[in-house]
Amino acid sequence: MKKDNGLYWLLLAVVVFVIDIASKFWIVKNFFLFESVNLLPFFSITYVRNIGAAFSIFEGQRWILAAIAFIVSTVIVYMLYRNKHKQKLENFSLALILGGALGNLFDRLYHGFVVDFLDVNFGDWHYPTFNIADCAICLGIGVFILSNYVKPKKTD
C-alpha cells in the first residue's frame, strides 16, 4: 500500500464535515424555518431549506445531486490517494471540498434538503443563504485553482 499519499488529509475533511453537520443540527433544533437573528448590519443567521444545489439550481433533484456528490467525493478520495503527501496545498483544497460535499450530501440523504443559515446582505443586495459546507467547497475550489498555479520548481 502506498504510504506517501494525501490520505492523511481525510482528517481535515472529517473535521469540516463534523463542524458543518453540528452547526446544521444546532440551527434545526434552535430555529424555526425562516427565523432570522441579525448579528451585524449585513449578516444574519436565517434558517432556510435548499432543495437544489448552489443558488437553488436543480431544485427537487435530490437523488441526482446526491449521486453527483457521491461521485465527486469518490474521485477526491482517489485523488488524495494518488497525490503525494507533500502536495499540501492541493491536498488541503481537496479535503475542504470533500468535507463540504459530504456535509451537504448528508443533509440531502437525512433531511431531504440542505440546511442553509448564513445570510449576507448589503442594502437591497442579498446573497443566497449558505452554510459551512458551502464555504469549505468554495474555499477549497479557490485553493485548488491556486495550487495548480503555484507548483514547486523542478530541480534536476
PDB file of all heavy atoms in Angstrom, residues 63-91:
ATOM      1  N   TRP A  63     -31.896  13.104  -5.652  1.00  0.00           N
ATOM      2  CA  TRP A  63     -31.093  11.900  -5.894  1.00  0.00           C
ATOM      3  C   TRP A  63     -30.007  12.140  -6.922  1.00  0.00           C
ATOM      4  O   TRP A  63     -28.918  11.565  -6.809  1.00  0.00           O
ATOM      5  CB  TRP A  63     -31.998  10.723  -6.266  1.00  0.00           C
ATOM      6  CG  TRP A  63     -32.877  10.394  -5.103  1.00  0.00           C
ATOM      7  CD1 TRP A  63     -34.224  10.601  -5.002  1.00  0.00           C
ATOM      8  CD2 TRP A  63     -32.457   9.873  -3.840  1.00  0.00           C
ATOM      9  NE1 TRP A  63     -34.683  10.231  -3.755  1.00  0.00           N
ATOM     10  CE2 TRP A  63     -33.604   9.768  -3.016  1.00  0.00           C
ATOM     11  CE3 TRP A  63     -31.237   9.480  -3.307  1.00  0.00           C
ATOM     12  CZ2 TRP A  63     -33.574   9.288  -1.713  1.00  0.00           C
ATOM     13  CZ3 TRP A  63     -31.201   9.006  -2.003  1.00  0.00           C
ATOM     14  CH2 TRP A  63     -32.347   8.909  -1.230  1.00  0.00           C
ATOM     15  N   ILE A  64     -30.264  12.984  -7.891  1.00  0.00           N
ATOM     16  CA  ILE A  64     -29.220  13.326  -8.864  1.00  0.00           C
ATOM     17  C   ILE A  64     -28.106  14.097  -8.166  1.00  0.00           C
ATOM     18  O   ILE A  64     -26.921  13.804  -8.354  1.00  0.00           O
ATOM     19  CB  ILE A  64     -29.806  14.134 -10.043  1.00  0.00           C
ATOM     20  CG1 ILE A  64     -30.717  13.236 -10.880  1.00  0.00           C
ATOM     21  CG2 ILE A  64     -28.698  14.745 -10.897  1.00  0.00           C
ATOM     22  CD1 ILE A  64     -31.501  13.951 -11.949  1.00  0.00           C
ATOM     23  N   LEU A  65     -28.479  15.071  -7.326  1.00  0.00           N
ATOM     24  CA  LEU A  65     -27.476  15.839  -6.583  1.00  0.00           C
ATOM     25  C   LEU A  65     -26.710  14.959  -5.608  1.00  0.00           C
ATOM     26  O   LEU A  65     -25.493  15.111  -5.441  1.00  0.00           O
ATOM     27  CB  LEU A  65     -28.151  17.004  -5.853  1.00  0.00           C
ATOM     28  CG  LEU A  65     -28.731  18.088  -6.773  1.00  0.00           C
ATOM     29  CD1 LEU A  65     -29.583  19.061  -5.974  1.00  0.00           C
ATOM     30  CD2 LEU A  65     -27.623  18.807  -7.508  1.00  0.00           C
ATOM     31  N   ALA A  66     -27.394  14.015  -4.975  1.00  0.00           N
ATOM     32  CA  ALA A  66     -26.719  13.087  -4.057  1.00  0.00           C
ATOM     33  C   ALA A  66     -25.739  12.206  -4.829  1.00  0.00           C
ATOM     34  O   ALA A  66     -24.608  11.968  -4.372  1.00  0.00           O
ATOM     35  CB  ALA A  66     -27.748  12.238  -3.313  1.00  0.00           C
ATOM     36  N   ALA A  67     -26.146  11.736  -6.005  1.00  0.00           N
ATOM     37  CA  ALA A  67     -25.262  10.896  -6.816  1.00  0.00           C
ATOM     38  C   ALA A  67     -24.029  11.679  -7.261  1.00  0.00           C
ATOM     39  O   ALA A  67     -22.903  11.164  -7.215  1.00  0.00           O
ATOM     40  CB  ALA A  67     -26.019  10.349  -8.028  1.00  0.00           C
ATOM     41  N   ILE A  68     -24.231  12.928  -7.670  1.00  0.00           N
ATOM     42  CA  ILE A  68     -23.099  13.768  -8.085  1.00  0.00           C
ATOM     43  C   ILE A  68     -22.144  13.967  -6.915  1.00  0.00           C
ATOM     44  O   ILE A  68     -20.919  13.838  -7.067  1.00  0.00           O
ATOM     45  CB  ILE A  68     -23.593  15.117  -8.635  1.00  0.00           C
ATOM     46  CG1 ILE A  68     -24.293  14.903  -9.989  1.00  0.00           C
ATOM     47  CG2 ILE A  68     -22.440  16.114  -8.776  1.00  0.00           C
ATOM     48  CD1 ILE A  68     -25.059  16.112 -10.489  1.00  0.00           C
ATOM     49  N   ALA A  69     -22.681  14.265  -5.723  1.00  0.00           N
ATOM     50  CA  ALA A  69     -21.832  14.464  -4.541  1.00  0.00           C
ATOM     51  C   ALA A  69     -21.069  13.192  -4.199  1.00  0.00           C
ATOM     52  O   ALA A  69     -19.889  13.243  -3.828  1.00  0.00           O
ATOM     53  CB  ALA A  69     -22.679  14.910  -3.352  1.00  0.00           C
ATOM     54  N   PHE A  70     -21.716  12.045  -4.328  1.00  0.00           N
ATOM     55  CA  PHE A  70     -21.053  10.773  -4.045  1.00  0.00           C
ATOM     56  C   PHE A  70     -19.918  10.521  -5.041  1.00  0.00           C
ATOM     57  O   PHE A  70     -18.808  10.134  -4.658  1.00  0.00           O
ATOM     58  CB  PHE A  70     -22.057   9.620  -4.074  1.00  0.00           C
ATOM     59  CG  PHE A  70     -21.427   8.286  -3.817  1.00  0.00           C
ATOM     60  CD1 PHE A  70     -21.088   7.905  -2.529  1.00  0.00           C
ATOM     61  CD2 PHE A  70     -21.132   7.433  -4.872  1.00  0.00           C
ATOM     62  CE1 PHE A  70     -20.470   6.690  -2.290  1.00  0.00           C
ATOM     63  CE2 PHE A  70     -20.520   6.214  -4.643  1.00  0.00           C
ATOM     64  CZ  PHE A  70     -20.181   5.837  -3.347  1.00  0.00           C
ATOM     65  N   ILE A  71     -20.174  10.769  -6.315  1.00  0.00           N
ATOM     66  CA  ILE A  71     -19.152  10.562  -7.355  1.00  0.00           C
ATOM     67  C   ILE A  71     -17.983  11.518  -7.143  1.00  0.00           C
ATOM     68  O   ILE A  71     -16.814  11.104  -7.189  1.00  0.00           O
ATOM     69  CB  ILE A  71     -19.765  10.721  -8.760  1.00  0.00           C
ATOM     70  CG1 ILE A  71     -20.726   9.561  -9.039  1.00  0.00           C
ATOM     71  CG2 ILE A  71     -18.684  10.810  -9.834  1.00  0.00           C
ATOM     72  CD1 ILE A  71     -21.638   9.777 -10.235  1.00  0.00           C
ATOM     73  N   VAL A  72     -18.286  12.795  -6.908  1.00  0.00           N
ATOM     74  CA  VAL A  72     -17.226  13.778  -6.662  1.00  0.00           C
ATOM     75  C   VAL A  72     -16.402  13.376  -5.442  1.00  0.00           C
ATOM     76  O   VAL A  72     -15.161  13.437  -5.465  1.00  0.00           O
ATOM     77  CB  VAL A  72     -17.818  15.198  -6.493  1.00  0.00           C
ATOM     78  CG1 VAL A  72     -16.800  16.171  -5.922  1.00  0.00           C
ATOM     79  CG2 VAL A  72     -18.357  15.708  -7.827  1.00  0.00           C
ATOM     80  N   SER A  73     -17.061  12.946  -4.382  1.00  0.00           N
ATOM     81  CA  SER A  73     -16.349  12.534  -3.165  1.00  0.00           C
ATOM     82  C   SER A  73     -15.440  11.340  -3.432  1.00  0.00           C
ATOM     83  O   SER A  73     -14.299  11.299  -2.957  1.00  0.00           O
ATOM     84  CB  SER A  73     -17.350  12.199  -2.059  1.00  0.00           C
ATOM     85  OG  SER A  73     -18.107  13.337  -1.730  1.00  0.00           O
ATOM     86  N   THR A  74     -15.925  10.394  -4.203  1.00  0.00           N
ATOM     87  CA  THR A  74     -15.121   9.215  -4.542  1.00  0.00           C
ATOM     88  C   THR A  74     -13.892   9.613  -5.357  1.00  0.00           C
ATOM     89  O   THR A  74     -12.780   9.138  -5.092  1.00  0.00           O
ATOM     90  CB  THR A  74     -15.980   8.200  -5.328  1.00  0.00           C
ATOM     91  OG1 THR A  74     -17.112   7.848  -4.523  1.00  0.00           O
ATOM     92  CG2 THR A  74     -15.193   6.952  -5.668  1.00  0.00           C
ATOM     93  N   VAL A  75     -14.078  10.499  -6.323  1.00  0.00           N
ATOM     94  CA  VAL A  75     -12.963  10.975  -7.149  1.00  0.00           C
ATOM     95  C   VAL A  75     -11.945  11.704  -6.285  1.00  0.00           C
ATOM     96  O   VAL A  75     -10.728  11.525  -6.443  1.00  0.00           O
ATOM     97  CB  VAL A  75     -13.469  11.866  -8.306  1.00  0.00           C
ATOM     98  CG1 VAL A  75     -12.330  12.589  -8.997  1.00  0.00           C
ATOM     99  CG2 VAL A  75     -14.272  11.039  -9.308  1.00  0.00           C
ATOM    100  N   ILE A  76     -12.415  12.507  -5.341  1.00  0.00           N
ATOM    101  CA  ILE A  76     -11.495  13.257  -4.474  1.00  0.00           C
ATOM    102  C   ILE A  76     -10.687  12.306  -3.590  1.00  0.00           C
ATOM    103  O   ILE A  76      -9.476  12.493  -3.424  1.00  0.00           O
ATOM    104  CB  ILE A  76     -12.254  14.306  -3.632  1.00  0.00           C
ATOM    105  CG1 ILE A  76     -12.727  15.436  -4.546  1.00  0.00           C
ATOM    106  CG2 ILE A  76     -11.375  14.844  -2.502  1.00  0.00           C
ATOM    107  CD1 ILE A  76     -13.621  16.453  -3.864  1.00  0.00           C
ATOM    108  N   VAL A  77     -11.319  11.299  -3.033  1.00  0.00           N
ATOM    109  CA  VAL A  77     -10.572  10.328  -2.216  1.00  0.00           C
ATOM    110  C   VAL A  77      -9.514   9.646  -3.074  1.00  0.00           C
ATOM    111  O   VAL A  77      -8.366   9.465  -2.637  1.00  0.00           O
ATOM    112  CB  VAL A  77     -11.520   9.294  -1.560  1.00  0.00           C
ATOM    113  CG1 VAL A  77     -10.731   8.161  -0.905  1.00  0.00           C
ATOM    114  CG2 VAL A  77     -12.412   9.980  -0.527  1.00  0.00           C
ATOM    115  N   TYR A  78      -9.850   9.303  -4.296  1.00  0.00           N
ATOM    116  CA  TYR A  78      -8.872   8.694  -5.210  1.00  0.00           C
ATOM    117  C   TYR A  78      -7.726   9.667  -5.501  1.00  0.00           C
ATOM    118  O   TYR A  78      -6.559   9.265  -5.518  1.00  0.00           O
ATOM    119  CB  TYR A  78      -9.558   8.262  -6.510  1.00  0.00           C
ATOM    120  CG  TYR A  78      -8.600   7.671  -7.512  1.00  0.00           C
ATOM    121  CD1 TYR A  78      -8.065   6.399  -7.310  1.00  0.00           C
ATOM    122  CD2 TYR A  78      -8.215   8.379  -8.638  1.00  0.00           C
ATOM    123  CE1 TYR A  78      -7.164   5.854  -8.214  1.00  0.00           C
ATOM    124  CE2 TYR A  78      -7.322   7.851  -9.551  1.00  0.00           C
ATOM    125  CZ  TYR A  78      -6.806   6.589  -9.329  1.00  0.00           C
ATOM    126  OH  TYR A  78      -5.915   6.061 -10.230  1.00  0.00           O
ATOM    127  N   MET A  79      -8.070  10.943  -5.722  1.00  0.00           N
ATOM    128  CA  MET A  79      -7.024  11.944  -5.978  1.00  0.00           C
ATOM    129  C   MET A  79      -6.098  12.076  -4.775  1.00  0.00           C
ATOM    130  O   MET A  79      -4.870  12.194  -4.936  1.00  0.00           O
ATOM    131  CB  MET A  79      -7.655  13.294  -6.325  1.00  0.00           C
ATOM    132  CG  MET A  79      -8.322  13.328  -7.676  1.00  0.00           C
ATOM    133  SD  MET A  79      -9.228  14.869  -7.974  1.00  0.00           S
ATOM    134  CE  MET A  79      -7.872  16.024  -8.200  1.00  0.00           C
ATOM    135  N   LEU A  80      -6.661  12.072  -3.567  1.00  0.00           N
ATOM    136  CA  LEU A  80      -5.828  12.151  -2.364  1.00  0.00           C
ATOM    137  C   LEU A  80      -4.912  10.935  -2.262  1.00  0.00           C
ATOM    138  O   LEU A  80      -3.747  11.049  -1.864  1.00  0.00           O
ATOM    139  CB  LEU A  80      -6.698  12.274  -1.110  1.00  0.00           C
ATOM    140  CG  LEU A  80      -7.374  13.624  -0.907  1.00  0.00           C
ATOM    141  CD1 LEU A  80      -8.412  13.539   0.204  1.00  0.00           C
ATOM    142  CD2 LEU A  80      -6.353  14.709  -0.611  1.00  0.00           C
ATOM    143  N   TYR A  81      -5.454   9.782  -2.624  1.00  0.00           N
ATOM    144  CA  TYR A  81      -4.648   8.560  -2.611  1.00  0.00           C
ATOM    145  C   TYR A  81      -3.493   8.663  -3.613  1.00  0.00           C
ATOM    146  O   TYR A  81      -2.372   8.253  -3.308  1.00  0.00           O
ATOM    147  CB  TYR A  81      -5.520   7.346  -2.937  1.00  0.00           C
ATOM    148  CG  TYR A  81      -4.729   6.085  -3.136  1.00  0.00           C
ATOM    149  CD1 TYR A  81      -4.176   5.414  -2.053  1.00  0.00           C
ATOM    150  CD2 TYR A  81      -4.510   5.572  -4.418  1.00  0.00           C
ATOM    151  CE1 TYR A  81      -3.426   4.267  -2.229  1.00  0.00           C
ATOM    152  CE2 TYR A  81      -3.768   4.424  -4.597  1.00  0.00           C
ATOM    153  CZ  TYR A  81      -3.226   3.775  -3.509  1.00  0.00           C
ATOM    154  OH  TYR A  81      -2.481   2.639  -3.687  1.00  0.00           O
ATOM    155  N   ARG A  82      -3.754   9.223  -4.775  1.00  0.00           N
ATOM    156  CA  ARG A  82      -2.730   9.330  -5.822  1.00  0.00           C
ATOM    157  C   ARG A  82      -1.727  10.455  -5.565  1.00  0.00           C
ATOM    158  O   ARG A  82      -0.588  10.385  -6.024  1.00  0.00           O
ATOM    159  CB  ARG A  82      -3.401   9.577  -7.181  1.00  0.00           C
ATOM    160  CG  ARG A  82      -4.255   8.453  -7.703  1.00  0.00           C
ATOM    161  CD  ARG A  82      -3.432   7.342  -8.228  1.00  0.00           C
ATOM    162  NE  ARG A  82      -2.439   7.870  -9.135  1.00  0.00           N
ATOM    163  CZ  ARG A  82      -2.056   7.325 -10.248  1.00  0.00           C
ATOM    164  NH1 ARG A  82      -2.571   6.186 -10.604  1.00  0.00           N
ATOM    165  NH2 ARG A  82      -1.141   7.872 -11.007  1.00  0.00           N
ATOM    166  N   ASN A  83      -2.161  11.491  -4.860  1.00  0.00           N
ATOM    167  CA  ASN A  83      -1.274  12.623  -4.584  1.00  0.00           C
ATOM    168  C   ASN A  83      -0.196  12.244  -3.582  1.00  0.00           C
ATOM    169  O   ASN A  83      -0.403  11.389  -2.731  1.00  0.00           O
ATOM    170  CB  ASN A  83      -2.064  13.802  -4.010  1.00  0.00           C
ATOM    171  CG  ASN A  83      -2.752  14.623  -5.073  1.00  0.00           C
ATOM    172  OD1 ASN A  83      -2.619  14.373  -6.263  1.00  0.00           O
ATOM    173  ND2 ASN A  83      -3.516  15.600  -4.641  1.00  0.00           N
ATOM    174  N   LYS A  84       0.902  12.934  -3.692  1.00  0.00           N
ATOM    175  CA  LYS A  84       1.956  12.782  -2.692  1.00  0.00           C
ATOM    176  C   LYS A  84       1.587  13.606  -1.457  1.00  0.00           C
ATOM    177  O   LYS A  84       0.905  14.607  -1.551  1.00  0.00           O
ATOM    178  CB  LYS A  84       3.290  13.238  -3.263  1.00  0.00           C
ATOM    179  CG  LYS A  84       3.763  12.383  -4.424  1.00  0.00           C
ATOM    180  CD  LYS A  84       5.252  12.540  -4.611  1.00  0.00           C
ATOM    181  CE  LYS A  84       5.784  11.660  -5.710  1.00  0.00           C
ATOM    182  NZ  LYS A  84       5.500  10.261  -5.595  1.00  0.00           N
ATOM    183  N   HIS A  85       2.062  13.153  -0.303  1.00  0.00           N
ATOM    184  CA  HIS A  85       1.774  13.830   0.957  1.00  0.00           C
ATOM    185  C   HIS A  85       2.266  15.283   0.922  1.00  0.00           C
ATOM    186  O   HIS A  85       1.638  16.168   1.504  1.00  0.00           O
ATOM    187  CB  HIS A  85       2.415  13.075   2.121  1.00  0.00           C
ATOM    188  CG  HIS A  85       2.134  13.691   3.449  1.00  0.00           C
ATOM    189  ND1 HIS A  85       0.869  13.735   3.983  1.00  0.00           N
ATOM    190  CD2 HIS A  85       2.955  14.306   4.342  1.00  0.00           C
ATOM    191  CE1 HIS A  85       0.924  14.335   5.158  1.00  0.00           C
ATOM    192  NE2 HIS A  85       2.168  14.692   5.395  1.00  0.00           N
ATOM    193  N   LYS A  86       3.362  15.538   0.220  1.00  0.00           N
ATOM    194  CA  LYS A  86       3.939  16.886   0.206  1.00  0.00           C
ATOM    195  C   LYS A  86       3.169  17.868  -0.682  1.00  0.00           C
ATOM    196  O   LYS A  86       3.467  19.050  -0.674  1.00  0.00           O
ATOM    197  CB  LYS A  86       5.412  16.828  -0.186  1.00  0.00           C
ATOM    198  CG  LYS A  86       5.668  16.359  -1.589  1.00  0.00           C
ATOM    199  CD  LYS A  86       7.156  16.261  -1.854  1.00  0.00           C
ATOM    200  CE  LYS A  86       7.401  15.637  -3.211  1.00  0.00           C
ATOM    201  NZ  LYS A  86       8.808  15.417  -3.442  1.00  0.00           N
ATOM    202  N   GLN A  87       2.166  17.414  -1.397  1.00  0.00           N
ATOM    203  CA  GLN A  87       1.324  18.313  -2.190  1.00  0.00           C
ATOM    204  C   GLN A  87       0.289  18.943  -1.265  1.00  0.00           C
ATOM    205  O   GLN A  87      -0.920  18.763  -1.420  1.00  0.00           O
ATOM    206  CB  GLN A  87       0.639  17.551  -3.329  1.00  0.00           C
ATOM    207  CG  GLN A  87       1.583  17.079  -4.412  1.00  0.00           C
ATOM    208  CD  GLN A  87       0.846  16.219  -5.430  1.00  0.00           C
ATOM    209  OE1 GLN A  87       0.901  14.996  -5.346  1.00  0.00           O
ATOM    210  NE2 GLN A  87       0.172  16.858  -6.365  1.00  0.00           N
ATOM    211  N   LYS A  88       0.788  19.692  -0.294  1.00  0.00           N
ATOM    212  CA  LYS A  88      -0.043  20.178   0.800  1.00  0.00           C
ATOM    213  C   LYS A  88      -1.182  21.082   0.342  1.00  0.00           C
ATOM    214  O   LYS A  88      -2.321  20.926   0.793  1.00  0.00           O
ATOM    215  CB  LYS A  88       0.827  20.886   1.829  1.00  0.00           C
ATOM    216  CG  LYS A  88       1.714  19.944   2.609  1.00  0.00           C
ATOM    217  CD  LYS A  88       2.567  20.721   3.589  1.00  0.00           C
ATOM    218  CE  LYS A  88       3.360  19.855   4.505  1.00  0.00           C
ATOM    219  NZ  LYS A  88       4.287  18.934   3.987  1.00  0.00           N
ATOM    220  N   LEU A  89      -0.905  22.025  -0.516  1.00  0.00           N
ATOM    221  CA  LEU A  89      -1.933  22.975  -0.929  1.00  0.00           C
ATOM    222  C   LEU A  89      -3.067  22.277  -1.678  1.00  0.00           C
ATOM    223  O   LEU A  89      -4.245  22.500  -1.382  1.00  0.00           O
ATOM    224  CB  LEU A  89      -1.301  24.072  -1.801  1.00  0.00           C
ATOM    225  CG  LEU A  89      -2.013  25.406  -1.879  1.00  0.00           C
ATOM    226  CD1 LEU A  89      -2.252  25.993  -0.496  1.00  0.00           C
ATOM    227  CD2 LEU A  89      -1.231  26.385  -2.742  1.00  0.00           C
ATOM    228  N   GLU A  90      -2.722  21.406  -2.600  1.00  0.00           N
ATOM    229  CA  GLU A  90      -3.757  20.686  -3.345  1.00  0.00           C
ATOM    230  C   GLU A  90      -4.524  19.722  -2.436  1.00  0.00           C
ATOM    231  O   GLU A  90      -5.754  19.635  -2.510  1.00  0.00           O
ATOM    232  CB  GLU A  90      -3.158  19.926  -4.521  1.00  0.00           C
ATOM    233  CG  GLU A  90      -4.219  19.278  -5.385  1.00  0.00           C
ATOM    234  CD  GLU A  90      -3.684  18.697  -6.674  1.00  0.00           C
ATOM    235  OE1 GLU A  90      -2.773  19.300  -7.281  1.00  0.00           O
ATOM    236  OE2 GLU A  90      -4.191  17.636  -7.066  1.00  0.00           O
ATOM    237  N   ASN A  91      -3.818  19.010  -1.578  1.00  0.00           N
ATOM    238  CA  ASN A  91      -4.490  18.079  -0.665  1.00  0.00           C
ATOM    239  C   ASN A  91      -5.400  18.820   0.318  1.00  0.00           C
ATOM    240  O   ASN A  91      -6.498  18.357   0.631  1.00  0.00           O
ATOM    241  CB  ASN A  91      -3.466  17.238   0.094  1.00  0.00           C
ATOM    242  CG  ASN A  91      -2.731  16.285  -0.818  1.00  0.00           C
ATOM    243  OD1 ASN A  91      -3.229  15.902  -1.869  1.00  0.00           O
ATOM    244  ND2 ASN A  91      -1.530  15.898  -0.428  1.00  0.00           N
TER     245      ASN A  91
END
